[in-house]
Each structure stands twice: as C-alpha cells, then as structure tokens.
C-alpha cells in the first residue's frame, strides 16, 4: 500500500546512500572535481542549452555508473573475501562500465568545449 510515510522513508534511505557514497568512496572526489570543472568551464565558455543538456546527461551517467560500480563491488566483497576469478571478472566489468561512461563524458566534453577555445 502506498503511503506518504513510506515514500519519505524511501527518500531518506536513498539520501543515506548518497551521503555514505560521498563520505566513504575515494573516487567521488575525482568525479566531484570533474563535475565542478565541467560546470565552471560551461559557465565561462557560454555553452548553449542543448550543450548543457548533453553535459548534464553524460555527467549524471558517470555518477550513476560509479554508484552501481560501488554497489556491485561491495556486494561481491560480501559474497566472498577470498580472491576468486569469477568475482574479479564481475568487478572488472563493473569498473569497465564506469570507464566507458567516463570516456563518453570526456568525448562529449571535447565536442562541446574544444570549438569554444
């Protein structure tokens, strides 16, 4: 059954996840610096609304990929603390998702910012 109280709790849990992610994961600093750099460059370069839209989408894509990567890594660490090739493969795939998202964001940033330089 849908209740306002349940919805508020679900948002509370989500924000707890966001705050833990920012406080405990070292990669968040790199992504935060990249995000701040993108916003500053966007303001000074005078990007268009469509360019902002592209930048926001790819930046969000990277953040979501990193959050899922972290969740998968934590889950795999919980499954087994010993080194196993299957778990390494899962973690490598998860990290590859972040790498690809980051490369897409970098390429998008180049497409937007290089012509403005």
């Amino acid at each position: 059954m849908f209740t306002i109280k349940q919805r508020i709790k679900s948002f509370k849990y989500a924000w707890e996840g966001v705050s833990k992610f920012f406080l405990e994961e070292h990669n968040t600093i790199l992504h935060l610096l990249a995000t701040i750099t993108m916003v500053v460059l966007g303001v000074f370069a005078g990007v268009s609304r469509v360019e902002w839209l592209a930048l926001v989408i790819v930046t969000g894509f990277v953040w979501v990929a990193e959050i899922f990567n972290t969740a998968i890594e934590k889950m795999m660490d919980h499954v087994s603390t010993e080194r196993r090739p299957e778990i390494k493969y899962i973690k490598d795939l998860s990290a590859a998702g972040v790498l690809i998202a980051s490369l897409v964001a970098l390429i998008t940033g180049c497409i937007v910012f290089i012509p403005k330089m």
Side-chain angles (χ1 to χ4, degrees):
M1 176 177 204
F2 176 86
T3 67
I4 298 296
K5 190 174 182 177
Q6 288 173 328
R7 291 312 104 215
I8 291 170
K9 274 187 180 180
S10 68
F11 279 104
K12 179 181 172 258
Y13 299 144
W15 280 113
E16 285 176 10
V18 170
S19 64
K20 266 194 163 187
F21 176 69
F22 272 92
L23 293 173
E24 297 179 9
E25 298 304 317
H26 63 276
N27 283 343
T28 57
I29 292 179
L30 297 173
H31 293 300
L32 187 58
L33 290 173
T35 301
I36 291 168
T37 301
M38 180 272 300
V39 170
V40 170
L41 284 173
V43 169
F44 284 112
V47 298
S48 70
R49 290 181 71 170
V50 172
E51 291 167 330
W52 272 119
L53 182 62
L55 292 170
V56 167
I57 289 170
V58 296
T59 301
F61 184 44
V62 172
W63 281 103
V64 170
E66 186 62 51
I67 289 170
F68 280 129
N69 176 53
T70 300
I72 290 167
E73 286 183 354
K74 298 285 184 197
M75 189 174 12
M76 291 298 100
D77 290 343
H78 183 72
V79 167
S80 176
T81 56
E82 66 186 63
R83 290 189 173 267
R84 293 173 42 191
E86 310 86 22
I87 290 178
K88 180 186 181 317
Y89 180 61
I90 292 166
K91 286 182 167 187
D92 289 350
L93 285 175
S94 182
V98 178
L99 177 64
I100 291 170
S102 298
L103 290 173
V104 170
L106 178 64
I107 291 166
T108 303
C110 289
I111 291 167
V112 169
F113 291 117
I114 289 174
K116 298 184 181 307
M117 295 180 171

